[in-house]
Amino acid sequence: MTATPRIFLLDVSGYIFRAYHAIKQGMSNSKGVPTNAVFGFTAMLLKLIADKKPTHLAPVFDVSRKSFRTEFYPAYKANRPDAPDDLVPQFALVRQMVEAFGLPVIELEGFEADDLLGSLAWHLEQQGHKVTLVTSDKDLMQLVTDQVSIYDPWKQKQIGIDEVKERFGVSPDQVVDILGLAGDSVDNIPGVPGIGEKTAQSLISEFGSITKVLENIDKISGKKRKENLTNYADQARISRRLAQIATDAPLSWSLDDFRLEAPRREKILPLFAELEFTRMAKQVPFADGDDAGTGEESAPTRDGETTTTSTGPGFLHDSYVLVNDDRSWQKLCEDLKAANIVGFDTETRSLDVYQDSLLVGLSFATTENQAYYLPVDHRGLDIRQRDKTKVLDDLREFFDDPNRHWVAHNAKFDLHVLEQEGLHIAGRVDDTMVMSYVLNPARRGHGLDALSSQELNHVMIAYEEVCGKGKKQITFDEVPLDQATRYAAEDADAALRLFHLFKERLESEQLWTIYDDLDRPLASVLKRMERNGIRLNLDFLDQLGRDFQQTLERLEEEIHELAGETFNINSPSQLGVILFEKLGLPHGRKTKTGWSTDVSVLENLSSLHELPQKVLDYRQAAKLKSTYTDALSSQARQHQGRVHGSFNQTVALTGRLSSSGPNLQNIPVRTEEGRRIREAFIAKEGCVLLAADYSQVELRILAHLSEDRLLIDAFNKDEDIHARTAAEVFGGLPGMVTPDLRRRAKAINFGIVYGQTAFGLAESLGIPQKEAKKYIDSYFSRYPQIRDYMDCYQSYAQQNHEVQTLWGRRIPLESINAKNANLRNFALRQAINAPIQGTSADIMKKAMISICDALQEQQLETRMVLQVHDELVFEVATDEVETVTELVRTRMEQAASLRVPLRVDIGVGQTWTDAH
């Protein structure tokens, strides 16, 4: 017996707009292509398939604004604004998504999507089928019958005849009469003036139709209403025609065209990869046995063209080997000895790499689909695994061999895990996460799951699939060994495949040197820095926390006194009421929760009233306490008085490092309170801290890249660059420059580096915009080659959608030609600054690698412990201070050969503050 088809007709055009407004604007892939609407639509489509399990699905689109309605009423929909710039490119992407799911694109010139939905529904109903319209458009309620219903996925509500009557008070076939009388300002359906939806419902409920209403005008109460119905009778009839959905559109589709088959990976995953919908790929109900990665895959190249690359055999999980007996152990050892390159990964019971008994298992891949999982510390009954101590000792032979080549994803983590177990890798280690970053630093994520989906056309087993989530989540040592094998071995397999793919691309795109000379060796330097950590003065930190608490309590009292009442200072809505309603201060933009009270708003209000500045001070003290004194104290107490932060090399677009746990880049050192945080960072007994800071490195790079003669001359003569700029811009001699003029010149110098406009300079100096423009014009008249540099790099970026550092690191700027002015202008500023900032980052990396190598070669006790912006911090044995000072200065200043010398300021002290 044939199953009853479950037929759903999908109002795609309506949902594109709903999705666009529901999902945050600004969402885009790493190439800058907006994706919020297509993401929302795809999420809705997947949910519909999962929840309603349709057998047939017909996606219906609008093809143009012109239809049979505009022929007899040209003003129809004439008031509708054009689609937003960032929505326009998404229409085509939604069509691609529909086709990727194996569905037809239903559209017809001269007819709107509503007419096609109505016509399809009518024809299918005549054939004896039940049909569900997937829409939130109330106009389509006129189509509801015993066989045709509506499902609104936004409200997750099913709508039949009873629900239509509840909504409009009339039967579905009378809905069009209500729409005709009431009109629709959005679609420019005029209706009858003075008659809204409630009045229209009352009239149609009483008389039955527009025709009957117009025949009985004399029975209707209200003089004005009668006049309008009399004067606008023809307009009412036209409005009804405009609102009525056609059911007679010429159709060329049959039910079989809409049959929903299980999607194919080779259709879906390349598009998901392009859009970077990595997690969403896990929700697609792919066909049974349809494995990914077989044959060839189309991959986007840097210039937007597509190339075909072989992805090799698919992931055959059944070929993975669980190593828990002598035979499998022997096979693993044989393969490790024979392999040229080995992909590996570690499984742990925690992400805290300083925790004891951390390692649960190791996975190895020697070729594609030849991968092993070696459990060493799983827990539970009947767990069969080899002795952990013996296994790790046996593996030492492989890890200690300097000729062996290893590949891992986020290798720094795995190296930490091995070191915690007393193991070190002597051979070469490649990191596919870092390789991905060098190839495309603008990629939204460099995680293994995302890269596997995007590059290997394969959806990885999710951690939650084996460990669960929420309160029921287990740790990996509790996962059954068969599941653990499939999950862990897949990671090693994927890393090895990505290595071969990325290595070829890095070489062909002339990026191998950047990766191999800078980013790859830097990973081990960062691992050592993290391992070293830095000591904290816990007594000082605790006292500082108490001081901040007292400051918070004092500020709270002062704020409440100024407000004349108590309120929650941390509540933006309550603060907004005080500022804008009670105190009557000028307000700015309004958010969903009330008037904005962000930093810029409070800073602007501070000149008008004392309270906003107090709130800023309160927020600053609260952040310092929670983010630094409390958090640092807690972390240090867990690790013998030292804090071990993470240094991230795959985050910033320009190649700069960032830090987390704690984020030392954001300590507000320009305030006295922020500087006190640095006093808590101290050297261990018998050591001092040495801080080495590049002096004006970005301005020196600007001099090199622009080849500006005056700037080069100033640096080569070791002049005060800001005083020299002040003299050039404002007139006079450098020795006659006042502190205020020097301050202004400094703002100009650094503002130029960041592509600052006259408006931005005026804001930072608190001067009129005209005056700021005059300063900038004067600057460029004295430094014309800097203007040439800016024009040159912006032009290059507009042509190539990227800029490069001095060493050839590529920094994508995909929004450089965007229609959105804000995106475009930001990218234009990046085109000026990114080559400078990126070159500065490369110089710092070269210095760090060189210094670390030298410290090891000379067998010094000194350890590099921090990197923040242009500064390196070392913990130096007291008897090594002179040696290390010279070593650090030399290596940092010789990290690059520029047209001007690099200079480093070095200080020494017991605390980080003293070292400055």
Side-chain angles (χ1 to χ4, degrees):
M1 182 176 177
T2 305
T4 302
R6 297 175 55 81
I7 306 168
F8 288 75
L9 310 182
L10 178 57
D11 177 15
V12 176
S13 295
Y15 271 87
I16 292 175
F17 284 93
R18 289 294 296 268
Y20 172 79
H21 291 291
I23 307 296
K24 64 180 180 180
Q25 265 94 82
M27 179 180 179
S28 64
N29 67 2
S30 57
K31 293 184 177 180
V33 177
T35 58
N36 63 321
V38 66
F39 179 88
F41 168 78
T42 308
M44 184 275 294
L45 179 61
L46 287 170
K47 182 169 176 55
L48 179 71
I49 293 171
D51 292 351
K52 298 300 179 179
K53 298 179 173 52
T55 60
H56 297 75
L57 187 58
V60 181
F61 291 78
D62 279 320
V63 68
S64 72
R65 284 193 178 182
K66 290 186 177 181
S67 69
F68 66 88
R69 292 178 180 83
T70 55
E71 292 178 8
F72 69 84
Y73 191 75
Y76 177 67
K77 291 191 176 181
N79 294 338
R80 282 202 172 182
D82 292 334
D85 289 343
D86 57 339
L87 176 57
V88 173
Q90 298 189 67
F91 292 128
L93 292 173
V94 171
R95 280 176 162 76
Q96 289 181 45
M97 186 63 70
V98 165
E99 291 171 342
F101 273 82
L103 296 168
V105 171
I106 309 298
E107 59 187 7
L108 187 62
E109 194 72 43
F111 291 88
E112 296 180 57
D114 288 0
D115 300 315
L116 297 182
L117 290 164
S119 299
L120 285 168
W122 188 86
H123 279 279
L124 291 167
E125 182 182 9
Q126 298 308 303
Q127 296 170 17
H129 298 297
K130 285 191 174 184
V131 179
T132 301
L133 303 172
V134 184
T135 183
S136 60
D137 187 349
K138 71 180 189 303
D139 295 359
L140 287 164
M141 289 186 183
Q142 64 184 274
L143 300 174
V144 171
T145 68
D146 289 333
Q147 296 292 97
V148 178
S149 64
I150 288 175
Y151 174 66
D152 184 343
W154 293 94
K155 297 179 180 178
Q156 297 188 36
K157 181 180 180 181
Q158 198 75 28
I159 300 169
I161 293 175
D162 290 342
E163 286 74 21
V164 174
K165 288 180 177 179
E166 182 182 347
R167 167 68 174 81
F168 283 103
V170 298
S171 60
D173 62 320
Q174 294 174 300
V175 168
V176 66
D177 293 281
I178 292 176
L179 299 174
L181 280 178
D184 186 337
S185 60
V186 175
D187 290 344
N188 209 30
I189 297 176
V192 176
I195 294 183
E197 189 177 298
K198 286 186 178 180
T199 303
Q201 287 180 15
S202 175
L203 291 171
I204 299 303
S205 181
E206 181 178 355
F207 296 103
S209 68
I210 284 180
T211 300
K212 292 294 184 183
V213 169
L214 297 177
E215 289 174 355
N216 293 278
I217 291 176
D218 57 335
K219 296 180 182 179
I220 296 172
S221 62
K223 181 181 177 181
K224 187 64 176 177
R225 188 175 298 166
K226 285 182 179 181
E227 287 180 3
N228 285 344
L229 284 168
T230 300
N231 294 334
Y232 294 98
D234 288 341
Q235 188 165 291
R237 296 184 184 99
I238 289 175
S239 296
R240 188 187 188 283
R241 287 181 64 194
L242 292 172
Q244 185 170 29
I245 294 173
T247 57
D248 58 353
L251 302 175
S252 59
W253 299 277
S254 67
L255 185 59
D256 283 344
D257 293 326
F258 313 142
R259 187 178 299 280
L260 180 62
E261 306 287 353
R264 304 291 299 182
R265 279 181 167 82
E266 67 270 18
K267 297 286 188 182
I268 296 279
L269 291 183
L271 182 57
F272 273 39
E274 178 187 343
L275 298 173
E276 297 170 12
F277 293 171
T278 305
R279 292 184 180 178
M280 189 179 283
K282 299 178 185 297
Q283 303 171 30
V284 181
F286 290 118
D288 292 340
D290 176 25
D291 210 343
T294 56
E296 295 181 330
E297 169 196 359
S298 292
T301 60
R302 230 176 14 94
D303 56 6
E305 297 296 321
T306 57
T307 60
T308 301
T309 58
S310 173
T311 58
F315 284 69
L316 306 178
H317 296 87
D318 291 342
S319 69
Y320 297 153
V321 177
L322 170 64
V323 181
N324 65 346
D325 57 25
D326 290 344
R327 182 177 178 182
S328 55
W329 169 251
Q330 187 63 35
K331 181 71 169 66
L332 169 62
C333 291
E334 289 173 359
D335 275 1
L336 289 177
K337 288 177 181 176
N340 294 321
I341 306 173
V342 176
F344 83 101
D345 188 34
T346 59
E347 301 300 339
T348 62
R349 57 174 47 89
S350 166
L351 295 178
D352 182 357
V353 294
Y354 307 101
Q355 178 181 308
D356 292 333
S357 302
L358 179 65
L359 184 65
V360 170
L362 301 100
S363 55
F364 302 92
T366 51
T367 61
E368 292 181 354
N369 284 321
Q370 189 165 321
Y372 301 84
Y373 179 58
L374 174 64
V376 295
D377 200 10
H378 276 255
R379 299 174 182 179
L381 298 174
D382 303 322
I383 292 293
R384 183 181 179 188
Q385 59 191 335
R386 300 179 70 79
D387 179 73
K388 181 177 181 179
T389 303
K390 178 72 166 60
V391 163
L392 296 184
D393 194 52
D394 290 342
L395 285 173
R396 199 179 306 276
E397 169 194 346
F398 297 101
F399 289 134
D400 285 349
D401 186 347
N403 296 314
R404 295 202 173 275
H405 186 171
W406 305 88
V407 171
H409 193 82
N410 190 15
K412 182 154 64 76
F413 177 85
D414 299 302
L415 295 177
H416 270 304
V417 173
L418 293 180
E419 187 162 341
Q420 192 69 6
E421 301 291 342
L423 296 171
H424 303 268
I425 292 184
R428 179 187 175 96
V429 179
D430 279 287
D431 189 336
T432 48
M433 184 169 77
V434 177
M435 296 172 90
S436 169
Y437 173 76
V438 174
L439 281 166
N440 183 8
R443 194 194 293 266
R444 181 180 296 169
H446 302 278
L448 189 59
D449 285 4
L451 294 177
S452 176
S453 175
Q454 295 164 19
E455 303 288 354
L456 304 177
N457 206 20
H458 172 72
V459 179
M460 303 282 285
I461 300 169
Y463 182 80
E464 290 79 8
E465 290 181 49
V466 295
C467 291
K469 56 185 177 180
K471 293 181 179 179
K472 294 183 179 180
Q473 188 173 76
I474 60 175
T475 50
F476 201 83
D477 54 350
E478 300 173 84
V479 175
L481 292 182
D482 58 338
Q483 294 181 38
T485 298
R486 293 168 64 87
Y487 174 87
E490 182 187 59
D491 284 355
D493 191 358
L496 186 62
R497 295 177 193 230
L498 287 171
F499 167 76
H500 292 298
L501 184 68
F502 288 161
K503 184 175 189 294
E504 182 179 337
R505 287 190 195 167
L506 287 166
E507 290 174 340
S508 67
E509 296 185 27
Q510 288 81 51
L511 290 169
W512 180 256
T513 300
I514 284 284
Y515 166 74
D516 201 39
D517 288 357
L518 290 180
D519 290 48
R520 186 191 67 81
L522 181 71
S524 63
V525 173
L526 298 180
K527 192 268 296 182
R528 272 177 272 175
M529 283 175 58
E530 293 172 357
R531 205 85 196 162
N532 293 332
I534 187 167
R535 188 182 177 195
L536 290 177
N537 183 334
L538 293 176
D539 291 338
F540 176 83
L541 205 56
D542 292 343
Q543 181 57 52
L544 191 55
R546 290 190 289 271
D547 292 345
F548 285 145
Q549 182 60 42
Q550 290 177 2
T551 299
L552 287 171
E553 292 170 0
R554 173 180 56 79
L555 286 169
E556 184 177 41
E557 287 182 10
E558 293 174 358
I559 290 168
H560 288 162
E561 185 177 347
L562 288 167
E565 62 179 271
T566 60
F567 68 97
N568 183 358
I569 301 170
N570 297 312
S571 168
S573 60
Q574 292 186 35
L575 177 61
V577 170
I578 296 295
L579 292 174
F580 308 123
E581 295 181 21
K582 184 167 185 179
L583 299 180
L585 296 174
H587 54 70
R589 68 183 188 279
K590 199 169 189 178
T591 67
K592 292 180 180 179
T593 56
W595 299 109
S596 173
T597 58
D598 63 16
V599 173
S600 61
V601 171
L602 295 179
E603 286 176 342
N604 289 333
L605 295 175
S606 294
S607 60
L608 304 176
H609 198 280
E610 190 178 354
L611 190 147
Q613 183 58 52
K614 295 286 186 184
V615 174
L616 286 171
D617 295 341
Y618 180 91
R619 288 181 180 178
Q620 181 71 15
K623 180 179 179 180
L624 289 172
K625 184 177 186 301
S626 63
T627 305
Y628 294 106
T629 59
D630 294 353
L632 287 173
S633 179
S634 174
Q635 290 177 45
R637 282 185 163 85
Q638 295 175 36
H639 298 106
Q640 291 78 50
R642 297 181 81 86
V643 63
H644 301 269
S646 295
F647 295 92
N648 313 307
Q649 65 180 123
T650 61
V651 175
L653 184 70
T654 59
R656 294 188 78 169
L657 299 178
S658 64
S659 66
S660 55
N663 181 358
L664 301 174
Q665 314 278 4
N666 285 348
I667 297 177
V669 293
R670 292 179 182 175
T671 66
E672 182 183 349
E673 293 83 359
R675 287 192 291 272
R676 291 186 68 195
I677 296 287
R678 287 192 169 188
E679 289 184 52
F681 291 79
I682 60 174
K684 68 179 182 181
E685 297 297 329
C687 293
V688 292
L689 293 184
L690 181 149
D693 196 352
Y694 275 117
S695 172
Q696 300 167 339
V697 63
E698 292 190 350
L699 288 175
R700 294 172 188 271
I701 293 168
L702 175 63
H704 175 85
L705 294 178
S706 68
E707 301 183 38
D708 188 89
R709 292 179 292 103
L710 284 178
L711 205 56
I712 290 172
D713 182 64
F715 278 122
N716 283 332
K717 291 180 177 177
D718 204 21
E719 293 182 1
D720 180 334
I721 192 64
H722 302 312
R724 173 69 177 265
T725 297
E728 296 289 348
V729 173
F730 306 122
L733 297 172
M736 300 167 60
V737 170
T738 65
D740 181 62
L741 288 179
R742 186 183 183 279
R743 178 183 66 84
R744 294 189 176 203
K746 183 176 181 180
I748 296 172
N749 276 329
F750 286 112
I752 293 297
V753 171
Y754 286 91
Q756 194 174 51
T757 61
F759 175 80
L761 183 61
E763 286 276 300
S764 65
L765 290 178
I767 59 176
Q769 195 169 331
K770 265 188 183 178
E771 188 176 349
K773 185 178 185 305
K774 181 181 175 183
Y775 289 169
I776 291 177
D777 291 343
S778 177
Y779 181 93
F780 285 133
S781 70
R782 299 301 298 161
Y783 299 100
Q785 287 163 288
I786 293 178
R787 174 80 268 176
D788 294 342
Y789 156 80
M790 294 167 66
D791 292 341
C792 176
Y793 271 71
Q794 286 182 332
S795 175
Y796 179 89
Q798 288 171 325
Q799 293 177 35
N800 297 280
H801 298 271
E802 67 172 34
V803 288
Q804 296 185 18
T805 69
L806 192 59
W807 281 276
R809 182 187 301 279
R810 292 190 178 124
I811 304 169
L813 298 175
E814 295 297 338
S815 57
I816 192 74
N817 296 316
K819 290 184 178 179
N820 183 297
N822 289 333
L823 291 175
R824 183 177 65 253
N825 290 334
F826 179 71
L828 286 168
R829 291 193 296 273
Q830 283 185 306
I832 297 168
N833 175 249
I836 298 171
Q837 194 177 98
T839 297
S840 173
D842 288 344
I843 289 173
M844 177 59 81
K845 290 175 181 179
K846 288 175 73 72
M848 292 171 71
I849 295 165
S850 175
I851 292 169
C852 220
D853 288 346
L855 292 175
Q856 282 189 305
E857 289 167 6
Q858 298 182 32
Q859 298 182 336
L860 296 170
E861 292 182 30
T862 293
R863 298 289 179 264
M864 190 186 301
V865 292
L866 292 179
Q867 190 279 329
V868 180
H869 300 306
D870 301 323
E871 177 183 358
L872 291 174
V873 180
F874 302 83
E875 191 172 58
V876 185
T878 52
D879 60 349
E880 293 178 355
V881 170
E882 187 176 341
T883 300
V884 171
T885 298
E886 182 60 29
L887 184 155
V888 169
R889 187 188 305 279
T890 301
R891 298 291 174 127
M892 288 181 72
E893 292 184 347
Q894 293 180 356
S897 178
L898 305 179
R899 293 181 176 87
V900 298
L902 290 172
R903 291 286 180 259
V904 177
D905 297 324
I906 293 180
V908 175
Q910 283 298 318
T911 74
W912 191 4
T913 299
D914 295 339
H916 281 263

